[in-house]
């Protein structure tokens, strides 16, 4: 089921990112940021009163450039207008209406989209009295908020839920949703066409041809799969128009929507930091992941070339050795269905649930053999383990001092779980609680 997008827009320094962080909160139990490619999160899933939605902070996706602020802000608003179901237009209640506020308001009025004016920094009763000035923007009631303290945030979220489109029918849990993602011109559309045996997507050598995501039903040996072909992601310094930024939003929506993502990499370019960024986005979203090295037919074959490429990939993404890697050629159809086989495996692995009794019978003796190290003079013990949920898998460990268990020992526990139970291509989340 596709989630509605809520976009946060506004001029600089009104508190957009603070509000984004407030609404997203600490929703992931554990993340596996790849060393050297961590970046600010400007896109995430949020929820309120049991309703999930996708949230984007447009302030975070405009590249540093010589453009004046007005041009950059206009681009942000254009993205929100194109894609969002509801727009949160953030203004600073402590300042009078700024010319940029008026310009953005005019764009939003013409769009016909649902807009909520959020008067941020209403930290006390005195500032409540400043809010009526913003009725002049012509976008209806200005809602008070303090992103910093959380004051009034729940009130405007209650209103936001009434503006979101009705929830659709739940997706069939037996049908895998498979996203094809990657930077521009790595052959995503060619790969889709090779699978379908027809020119379903336009294929050209021009980077950025695919602007939108394409959903296609595909039957593979009797199994129904929903394929999602997405627009490519450029590095930030090359994003020189609003459609490039729009493509990022669509790609990130596809990642949130899918069960498993195929991350296509160009074999002739090698693995790049941007490839690692995309893989990190997939893992952060707790989706199944398969690395697909395309255009392998164009690489001059030497002894151990594939092994050298694998060493390069896993050298860059050292914590993600559980993600399978496959070499293909969409052009010649060489091994072009192998990624589907691996994705189906990851799909089933992501749904796997280990019985609590079995989990404790295996892990407790392993913990006894290699116990947690003493930290701050405290003897750490883990007494009980259970799998809290699947899709994605989440394990809870009960300990006497859960807050000080070292990350190195957590990685040890994950390795033992994977050695015993697999979870191929699937991120594992772990939470530690007091016994």
């Amino acid at each position: 089921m596709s989630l509605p997008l809520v976009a946060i827009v506004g001029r600089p320094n009104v508190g957009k990112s603070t509000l984004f962080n407030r609404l997203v909160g600490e929703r992931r139990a554990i993340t596996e940021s790849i060393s050297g490619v961590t970046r600010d999160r400007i896109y995430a899933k949020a929820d309120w009163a049991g309703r999930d939605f996708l949230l984007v902070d447009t302030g975070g996706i405009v590249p540093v450039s010589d453009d004046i602020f007005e041009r950059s802000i206009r681009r942000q608003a254009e993205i929100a207008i194109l894609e969002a179901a509801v727009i949160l237009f953030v203004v600073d209640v402590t300042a009078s209406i700024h010319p940029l506020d008026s310009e953005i308001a005019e764009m939003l009025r013409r769009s016909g989209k649902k807009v909520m004016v959020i008067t941020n920094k209403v930290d006390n009763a005195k500032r409540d009295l400043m809010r009526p000035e913003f009725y002049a923007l012509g976008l209806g009631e200005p809602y008070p908020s303090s992103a910093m303290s959380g004051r009034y945030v729940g009130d405007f979220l209650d209103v936001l839920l009434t503006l979101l489109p009705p929830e659709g029918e739940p997706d069939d849990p037996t049908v895998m949703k498979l996203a094809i993602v990657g930077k521009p011109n790595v052959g995503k559309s060619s790969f889709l066409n090779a699978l379908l045996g027809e020119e379903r997507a336009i294929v050209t050598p021009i980077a950025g041809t695919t602007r939108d995501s394409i959903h296609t039903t595909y039957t593979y040996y009797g199994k129904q799969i929903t394929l999602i072909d997405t627009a490519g992601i450029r590095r930030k310094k090359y994003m020189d128009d609003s459609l490039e930024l729009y493509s990022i939003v669509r790609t990130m929506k596809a990642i949130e929507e899918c069960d498993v993502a195929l991350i296509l990499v160009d074999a002739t370019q090698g693995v790049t930091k941007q490839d690692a960024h995309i893989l990190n986005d997939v893992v952060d979203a707790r989706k199944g992941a398969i690395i697909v090295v395309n255009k392998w037919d164009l690489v001059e074959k030497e002894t151990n070339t594939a092994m050298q490429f694998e060493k390069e990939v896993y050298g860059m993404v050292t914590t993600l050795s559980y993600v399978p890697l496959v070499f293909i050629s969409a052009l010649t159809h060489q091994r072009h269905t192998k990624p589907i086989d691996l994705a189906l495996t990851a799909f089933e692995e992501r749904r796997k649930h280990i019985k609590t009794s079995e989990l404790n019978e295996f892990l407790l003796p392993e913990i006894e053999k290699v116990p947690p190290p003493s930290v701050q003079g405290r003897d750490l013990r883990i007494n009980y383990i259970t799998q809290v949920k699947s899709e994605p898998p989440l394990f809870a460990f009960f300990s006497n001092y859960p807050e000080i268990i070292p990350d190195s020992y957590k990685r040890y526990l994950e390795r033992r779980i994977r050695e015993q139970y697999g979870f191929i291509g699937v991120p594992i989340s772990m939470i530690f609680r007091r016994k």
Side-chain angles (χ1 to χ4, degrees):
M1 181 172 58
S2 182
L3 297 178
L5 182 75
V6 175
I8 301 175
V9 304
R11 62 183 175 86
N13 302 319
V14 293
K16 298 188 301 297
S17 294
T18 305
L19 181 62
F20 174 86
N21 292 333
R22 167 70 60 179
L23 298 184
V24 172
E26 297 296 327
R27 58 173 295 272
R28 293 188 176 91
I30 185 173
T31 59
E32 301 179 61
S33 294
I34 301 169
S35 177
V37 296
T38 304
R39 60 183 176 192
D40 291 338
R41 173 67 51 190
I42 50 85
Y43 190 98
K45 185 189 293 184
D47 67 87
W48 181 251
R51 179 74 194 272
D52 290 338
F53 55 91
L54 300 175
L55 190 70
V56 61
D57 174 15
T58 57
I61 58 177
V62 173
V64 176
S65 70
D66 294 328
D67 291 350
I68 59 174
F69 272 128
E70 287 84 348
R71 185 173 179 183
S72 295
I73 298 302
R74 190 178 300 113
R75 288 176 178 174
Q76 297 175 44
E78 287 170 355
I79 298 163
I81 290 169
L82 282 168
E83 183 64 9
V86 179
I87 299 167
L88 301 181
F89 177 24
V90 183
V91 295
D92 183 349
V93 78
T94 66
S96 297
I97 295 176
H98 190 279
L100 278 177
D101 293 332
S102 299
E103 183 179 348
I104 296 170
E106 176 61 25
M107 293 176 64
L108 296 176
R109 281 198 302 272
R110 290 198 305 265
S111 74
K113 287 292 183 80
K114 297 175 181 177
V115 179
M116 293 181 67
V117 177
I118 307 300
T119 51
N120 194 29
K121 306 183 184 180
V122 181
D123 300 318
N124 52 53
K126 182 179 179 180
R127 292 184 179 180
D128 278 328
L129 302 177
M130 303 176 182
R131 183 170 55 92
E133 175 187 356
F134 293 88
Y135 276 102
L137 292 172
L139 290 167
E141 180 179 353
Y143 294 90
S145 171
S146 173
M148 186 65 71
S149 69
R151 189 170 186 247
Y152 290 129
V153 169
D155 295 333
F156 84 70
L157 284 175
D158 287 340
V159 178
L160 172 64
L161 294 191
T162 67
L163 300 179
L164 294 177
E167 293 188 80
E169 291 295 321
D171 295 317
D172 186 343
T174 65
V175 176
M176 177 176 66
K177 296 184 291 299
L178 181 64
I180 305 170
V181 300
K183 63 187 182 184
N185 211 27
V186 294
K188 296 184 297 298
S189 295
S190 296
F191 174 64
L192 178 66
N193 292 339
L195 290 176
L196 300 177
E198 60 181 72
E199 292 295 314
R200 175 64 180 83
I202 300 170
V203 180
T204 77
I206 303 170
T209 300
T210 307
R211 295 293 193 183
D212 211 341
S213 58
I214 300 170
H215 290 59
T216 305
T217 299
Y218 174 60
T219 302
Y220 183 71
Y221 289 100
K223 294 182 181 291
Q224 188 172 319
I225 299 169
T226 299
L227 296 173
I228 309 170
D229 178 37
T230 61
I233 305 176
R234 289 181 187 267
R235 293 193 301 275
K236 286 189 178 183
K237 66 180 181 180
Y238 294 124
M239 296 189 298
D240 55 0
D241 62 44
S242 60
L243 283 178
E244 290 289 358
L245 306 181
Y246 175 62
S247 295
I248 286 185
V249 173
R250 295 309 299 257
T251 300
M252 299 309 294
K253 277 192 73 174
I255 289 173
E256 287 289 350
E257 185 180 349
C258 76
D259 300 302
V260 181
L262 303 180
I263 301 96
L264 265 66
V265 175
D266 189 331
T268 64
Q269 297 178 8
V271 63
T272 67
K273 187 167 284 191
Q274 184 64 11
D275 296 321
H277 273 311
I278 297 166
L279 177 57
N280 199 30
D281 286 330
V282 173
V283 171
D284 276 355
R286 318 315 285 166
K287 307 296 183 176
I290 311 294
I291 301 170
V292 181
V293 183
N294 190 27
K295 306 183 185 180
W296 193 240
D297 56 309
L298 301 181
V299 175
E300 292 186 13
K301 302 302 184 290
E302 300 173 0
T303 304
N304 294 332
T305 298
M307 292 178 62
Q308 291 169 358
F309 200 101
E310 287 187 21
K311 186 177 180 181
E312 179 186 354
V313 171
Y314 293 126
M316 178 174 282
V317 291
T318 53
T319 61
L320 304 182
S321 58
Y322 62 86
V323 177
L325 184 148
V326 59
F327 298 88
I328 72 161
S329 169
L331 182 64
T332 67
H333 292 200
Q334 179 186 15
R335 289 189 295 275
H336 74 289
T337 60
K338 182 64 175 176
I340 304 299
D341 294 325
L342 291 170
L344 286 168
T345 298
F347 179 60
E348 293 302 325
E349 292 282 277
R350 192 168 180 264
R351 303 168 71 192
K352 185 159 58 180
H353 195 283
I354 312 301
K355 291 181 180 179
T356 299
S357 57
E358 181 182 347
L359 197 58
N360 283 270
E361 286 172 10
F362 167 68
L363 268 181
L364 289 180
E366 296 298 313
I367 291 170
E368 188 174 345
K369 289 179 192 174
V370 184
S374 176
V375 176
Q376 301 171 4
R378 292 173 176 171
D379 181 24
L380 303 183
R381 294 189 301 276
I382 294 175
N383 309 102
Y384 183 73
I385 311 103
T386 185
Q387 183 174 352
V388 178
K389 66 186 289 290
S390 56
E391 297 186 87
L394 172 62
F395 293 88
F397 293 77
F398 292 85
S399 169
N400 56 341
Y401 295 107
E403 66 281 356
I404 60 173
I405 293 176
D407 289 341
S408 58
Y409 195 75
K410 294 175 182 179
R411 289 192 292 270
Y412 164 75
L413 293 172
E414 180 179 343
R415 285 196 303 272
R416 298 303 294 124
I417 290 173
R418 291 190 182 280
E419 288 167 6
Q420 180 72 8
Y421 301 111
F423 291 103
I424 298 167
V426 178
I428 289 176
S429 296
M430 297 186 291
I431 53 176
F432 292 82
R433 295 174 176 167
R434 187 170 294 277
K435 174 66 174 175

